[in-house]
Amino acid sequence: PTPDGPATAYAGELFTKHAGHWCRVAARLVADVDGAGPGLLDGDRPLVLLDGCAVAASQRTDLGATPGRFFLAVTDAGGARRELACASVVERDVWVNAMQSALDAW
């Protein structure tokens, strides 16, 4: 961690569901969220803690009324699944690879 918080491994735009609606967030991937392992943050607020999770691209490619979004899924050991979305397939693949690298390093 740095004096300003945990170091950012990757940052970019993601879409996440909040109160039943898809919202755009400026997400950042950090290697360690307060000792809990790698995770995604929206500012300083945790979006998803990744320790013990599987990360993969999802075949789903819609975002409700907004087509052209590309999904990734984070599934924890208990089977709970959280879907996130990106604006391009390239960005989705970068996020998946970055999260998997953070998990491998953890």
Side-chain angles (χ1 to χ4, degrees), residues 16-17 22 48 53-61 71-84 92:
T16 184
K17 263 199 174 171
W22 286 98
V48 180
C53 292
V55 178
S58 172
Q59 296 305 308
R60 188 173 167 200
T61 57
F71 288 78
L72 58 112
V74 177
T75 308
D76 69 20
R81 181 180 169 107
R82 170 98 183 248
E83 284 195 334
L84 303 166
R92 180 199 60 197

Side-chain angles (χ1 to χ4, degrees), residues 13-15 22 63 68-72 84-96 99:
E13 179 181 88
L14 281 174
F15 295 85
W22 286 98
L63 187 59
R69 300 293 182 223
F70 299 88
F71 288 78
L72 58 112
L84 303 166
C86 300
S88 75
V89 69
V90 171
E91 187 70 8
R92 180 199 60 197
D93 291 347
V94 170
W95 274 110
V96 170
M99 285 187 264

Side-chain angles (χ1 to χ4, degrees), residues 8-43:
T8 300
Y10 185 74
E13 179 181 88
L14 281 174
F15 295 85
T16 184
K17 263 199 174 171
H18 180 70
H21 301 308
W22 286 98
C23 303
R24 182 185 324 242
V25 295
R28 59 189 186 108
L29 172 64
V30 297
D32 189 9
V33 180
D34 297 328
L40 296 175
L41 301 178
D42 177 12

